[in-house]
Amino acid sequence: MSNFATVSLTDDERAALEMLCRRRKVEALVWKRARAFILLDAGYDPKIVCEILDIGPSVLMEWRFAYKADGLAFFGLKDYSPREGHLSFPQEEAVKEHFSEHPARCVDEIRAYILAEFGQSYCRSGASKLMRRLGFEYKKPLALSAQADPDQQQAFIDWYEALMTALSPDEAVVFSDAVHPEYQSRPAHGWFPKGQKTAVKTTSGRKRLNIQGALNLETFQFTFVEGEKINAETTRQMLEKIEQSYPTKTAIHVILDNARYHHAKILTPWLESPERRVKLHFLPSYAPHLNAIERLWGIMHKWVTHNQHYPSFAAFTVAIFEFFRKTLPENWTKFRDTVTDNFRVVATQNYKVI
């Protein structure tokens, strides 16, 4: 091929074509043209470019002449030059770089930045569309404990996997925790008719249930006790109930957190009794994500409390217990993909901490 196939792009032209190639919705031919010129500008041999993009030498030559005559308009980039209400591709890159380092809390911050830096005024929906096109999404950051120890988490995961691998038929593993559903309405996202003002009735007071439970991920058998408060006594009652629920098991491994009442001295004599079959295993500190039963509490709230109003605390109590006694055993196959033991280490170095 002759030198007609060589290309030398300016920085702005290269940025424009690279942005075009990253767009999610772009015609295949336009994308192929932009990619050809980027490769040529990077020094690729024209023959190699033709092989990569499955085009003929004459096609590449025609593209080169068209580009020489029309510039970036050849690619359909008629909005390459800044026009009222729009940013150029280099400006969009600057927006992307800025908000990658300084996350915006709301769309108004984005609008203010664009107006101050580039003199362009965006409406709220326009700024939202721009950010989505630049690869951003509106979401809530994950709350991570500053005290969580990644090494301890990994050690627990390794121990748990070894336990499950070596588990014998006469052993069982359950995850235990306490939950305190409040008699309060919980507004949650849902699909409602556009333009309809939607509300959920709220309740007054701070009444709540105190439930201590244990979940077997293999069978989804749920064992629980309820009391005025959760303490060492309710813990002992729950452990006794677990043993009664598994009469044929010689060992029942109970995985639970480090709540003070789980370590209460008054439990020691009972736990050290020769006939005891429950064996307690404590999670690493600040690692609730390693307790599978926490995921069940989330499903319980979605099923029972989200966008639901109960006329009385008694009705609320009935709904909570019906979930555990009826809904869970009847629908556990729907929940098993969410309530799992696919544990992972959660560490700040794996996230962009703001």
Side-chain angles (χ1 to χ4, degrees):
M1 282 186 175
S2 69
N3 290 333
F4 284 114
T6 62
V7 169
S8 180
L9 301 173
T10 66
D11 290 342
D12 286 352
E13 289 172 335
R14 189 180 305 107
L17 295 183
E18 289 175 348
M19 178 67 74
L20 176 63
C21 289
R22 287 197 294 269
R23 288 182 179 176
R24 289 183 296 176
K25 293 183 178 180
V26 61
E27 292 182 12
L29 181 58
V30 173
W31 180 92
K32 188 175 288 192
R33 288 173 175 174
R35 179 55 60 190
F37 280 77
I38 291 173
L39 293 174
L40 290 172
D41 178 65
Y44 280 77
D45 184 273
K47 292 182 179 180
I48 300 298
V49 174
C50 288
E51 292 178 5
I52 292 174
L53 299 177
D54 192 24
I55 58 177
S58 60
V59 172
L60 187 60
M61 191 72 70
E62 291 175 2
W63 289 358
R64 178 66 182 89
F65 279 119
Y67 167 71
K68 186 177 180 179
D70 300 329
L72 289 174
F74 166 66
F75 302 95
L77 297 177
K78 301 184 185 303
D79 60 346
Y80 169 66
S81 298
R83 55 192 171 96
E84 185 177 358
H86 291 77
L87 299 179
S88 68
F89 288 98
Q91 288 173 335
E92 288 186 354
E93 285 293 297
V95 171
K96 182 176 181 179
E97 181 178 353
H98 174 78
F99 288 113
S100 294
E101 293 300 321
H102 309 282
R105 290 167 294 183
C106 64
V107 73
D108 288 333
E109 290 185 7
I110 299 167
R111 297 170 63 205
Y113 173 81
I114 294 175
L115 182 62
E117 291 294 320
F118 308 113
Q120 299 289 358
S121 179
Y122 271 69
C123 65
R124 295 174 63 86
S125 62
S128 297
K129 291 178 181 178
L130 170 65
M131 294 301 284
R132 284 194 292 270
R133 184 161 55 80
L134 294 179
F136 291 82
E137 60 181 338
Y138 189 70
K139 63 181 180 180
K140 183 188 296 183
L142 179 67
L144 296 181
S145 172
Q147 292 79 26
D149 188 324
D151 293 335
Q152 291 182 4
Q153 295 177 47
Q154 187 60 59
F156 169 81
I157 294 173
D158 293 341
W159 168 85
Y160 174 75
E161 291 178 350
L163 172 68
M164 298 304 295
T165 300
L167 198 69
S168 63
D170 62 346
E171 293 180 292
V173 176
V174 299
F175 289 85
S176 177
D177 188 33
V179 66
H180 311 276
E182 291 187 352
Y183 176 46
Q184 296 287 346
S185 302
R186 289 186 172 221
H189 288 85
W191 290 99
F192 305 103
K194 186 176 181 179
Q196 171 186 287
K197 293 183 178 180
T198 308
V200 59
K201 292 182 179 179
T202 61
T203 56
S204 59
R206 294 189 175 275
K207 290 184 178 180
R208 70 177 190 179
L209 294 170
N210 297 290
I211 299 170
Q212 196 165 5
L215 178 68
N216 184 323
L217 290 184
E218 183 179 0
T219 64
F220 260 66
Q221 180 174 338
F222 182 70
T223 307
F224 71 97
V225 296
E226 188 260 340
E228 292 186 3
K229 60 181 179 179
I230 302 300
N231 51 27
E233 178 59 27
T234 57
T235 299
R236 185 184 60 80
Q237 293 174 2
M238 183 198 64
L239 295 175
E240 288 179 340
K241 196 168 183 179
I242 289 174
E243 287 195 340
Q244 295 170 5
S245 301
Y246 296 88
T248 63
K249 303 297 183 182
T250 60
I252 309 161
H253 302 276
V254 182
I255 299 173
L256 64 177
D257 62 25
N258 286 278
R260 293 181 62 182
Y261 46 78
H262 290 157
H263 294 278
K265 293 182 179 180
I266 61 174
L267 287 176
T268 302
W270 186 85
L271 289 170
E272 293 181 349
S273 175
E275 67 270 18
R276 265 316 50 81
R277 291 180 293 126
V278 295
K279 301 180 184 297
L280 304 189
H281 305 283
F282 294 98
L283 292 162
S285 300
Y286 309 105
H289 60 285
L290 297 180
N291 195 343
I293 200 173
E294 292 278 1
R295 305 177 186 188
L296 177 63
W297 302 153
I299 288 179
M300 179 268 294
H301 280 298
K302 289 181 180 179
W303 198 277
V304 182
T305 70
H306 287 185
N307 294 337
Q308 297 285 342
H309 169 73
Y310 298 93
S312 65
F313 181 67
F316 173 75
T317 301
V318 169
I320 292 291
F321 288 140
E322 182 173 319
F323 172 82
F324 291 125
R325 290 169 174 157
K326 182 178 180 181
T327 304
L328 181 59
E330 290 181 356
N331 298 272
W332 69 273
T333 55
K334 299 179 182 179
F335 305 146
R336 66 187 311 170
D337 289 339
T338 301
V339 185
T340 68
D341 56 1
N342 58 335
F343 301 131
R344 69 188 189 283
V345 174
V346 174
T348 54
Q349 58 263 35
N350 298 330
Y351 293 82
K352 171 69 174 179
V353 179
I354 59 177

